[in-house]
Amino acid sequence: MSGIRNDHEVARDLATEAGQHLLRLRARQGFDEPDVLRTLGDRLSHEFLFSALERLRPSDPVLSEEGVVDDPSRLTARRVWIIDPLDGTREFAEPGRSDWAVHVALWEAGDLVAGAVALPAQGSTLSTVDPPWLPGERPAEQRLRITVSRTRPPEFARRIATQLGAELVPMGSAGAKICAVLLGIADIYLHSGGQHEWDSAAPVAVARAAGLHTSRIDGSPLTYNQPDASLPDVLVCRPELATTLLASIQSCANTENSA
């Protein structure tokens, strides 16, 4: 790796290179033993990213999904890297699937400041170096598309889709789903339950840089580098849809509470 000039480039180049390692592992190992492939992929990517950040940014703690121990120094550090070495592990171990990703983000002084999402099997990396241009205004007649988990879509997302006349687009990897919004494949990413900071930090950093709305599903801010790394829900969407969506989510919650 050469020519690194700033943190945005570090995030982009490390995510891309980790993805190349994962593609080679996939080709070498094959898909006959998915559990073995998943374990090897998580470990290989974590060790590459952790070692590279230790060399390139030795003063910065790292919060990783695959970290054995949560380094408590991150809570008082000014800068922390938040990484998901392999997001969409299930899809990584399935032949033909491209909805898995590598996430690298930098949190500094209270907020995300840089990030990159590599989509190795799609041959691309979206990053804050050069955030993607959002597709132009949606045609009014076009049906809204909400991307959700392919294995555990939240029930309230189905209800909101019904309210809005939208269609659900199932997909693996939070990073791949948020990139789908960035690329105009979907309009909304909606999730509730079972996520941590590393699942959304890098894609949210890129989404913000591109001008998308990002928040929790109650509209409150997404905050990172917290003592408890659980961050269970997230909404990412085109900015002109945010007010309608948050109202729809609140309406669903009120209906559920009164039932």
Side-chain angles (χ1 to χ4, degrees), residues 143-148 153-154 157-161 166-170:
R143 200 176 179 196
L144 287 172
R145 299 155 297 176
I146 304 175
T147 183
V148 295
R158 298 183 193 277
R159 295 199 296 274
I160 289 167
E167 64 175 310
L168 297 180
V169 183

Side-chain angles (χ1 to χ4, degrees), residues 8-241:
H8 301 277
E9 293 175 341
V10 168
R12 178 197 62 190
D13 293 350
L14 291 187
T16 300
E17 190 166 345
Q20 294 303 310
H21 286 301
L22 288 167
L23 285 176
R24 287 193 287 272
L25 172 65
R26 242 184 163 197
R28 186 171 64 246
Q29 188 72 19
F31 298 93
D32 291 342
E33 299 177 285
D35 288 345
V36 173
L37 181 57
R38 284 192 282 266
T39 300
L40 290 174
D42 279 333
R43 186 189 310 156
L44 172 71
S45 187
H46 169 78
E47 290 177 353
F48 167 75
L49 291 172
F50 198 86
S51 173
L53 286 170
E54 196 172 46
R55 174 168 48 86
L56 296 169
R57 296 293 188 266
S59 300
D60 297 345
V62 177
L63 174 63
S64 169
E65 179 177 17
E66 304 305 325
V68 176
V69 177
D70 184 3
D71 180 357
S73 70
R74 70 177 176 83
L75 297 175
T76 54
R78 188 170 185 277
R79 292 159 48 94
V80 178
W81 292 88
I82 303 175
I83 64 173
D84 189 342
L86 176 50
D87 187 59
T89 311
R90 179 194 300 267
E91 287 74 22
F92 172 72
E94 292 183 22
R97 296 208 68 94
S98 62
D99 47 348
W100 51 276
V102 178
H103 298 177
V104 178
L106 175 64
W107 173 96
E108 182 172 2
D111 208 352
L112 301 171
V113 296
V117 180
L119 301 168
Q122 299 179 33
S124 68
T125 298
L126 279 63
S127 84
T128 53
V129 173
D130 185 15
W133 287 93
L134 292 182
E137 189 172 338
R138 298 179 63 257
E141 69 278 9
Q142 186 180 76
R143 200 176 179 196
L144 287 172
R145 299 155 297 176
I146 304 175
T147 183
V148 295
S149 169
R150 65 184 280 246
T151 56
R152 46 193 171 88
E155 179 55 33
F156 85 97
R158 298 183 193 277
R159 295 199 296 274
I160 289 167
T162 300
Q163 276 189 12
L164 300 176
E167 64 175 310
L168 297 180
V169 183
M171 198 177 291
S173 168
K177 289 192 274 284
I178 292 175
C179 286
V181 181
L182 283 160
L183 296 171
I185 298 167
D187 306 298
I188 300 157
Y189 170 49
L190 193 55
H191 182 85
S192 176
Q195 284 194 350
H196 293 79
E197 292 184 15
W198 45 75
D199 291 301
S200 64
V204 162
V206 180
R208 287 177 179 173
L212 289 176
H213 167 90
T214 68
S215 72
R216 298 195 64 173
I217 60 172
D218 64 358
S220 63
L222 292 157
T223 56
Y224 294 87
N225 196 32
Q226 300 297 301
D228 179 358
S230 174
L231 188 52
D233 57 80
V234 59
L235 168 66
V236 177
C237 65
R238 295 175 60 95
E240 69 270 22
L241 301 175

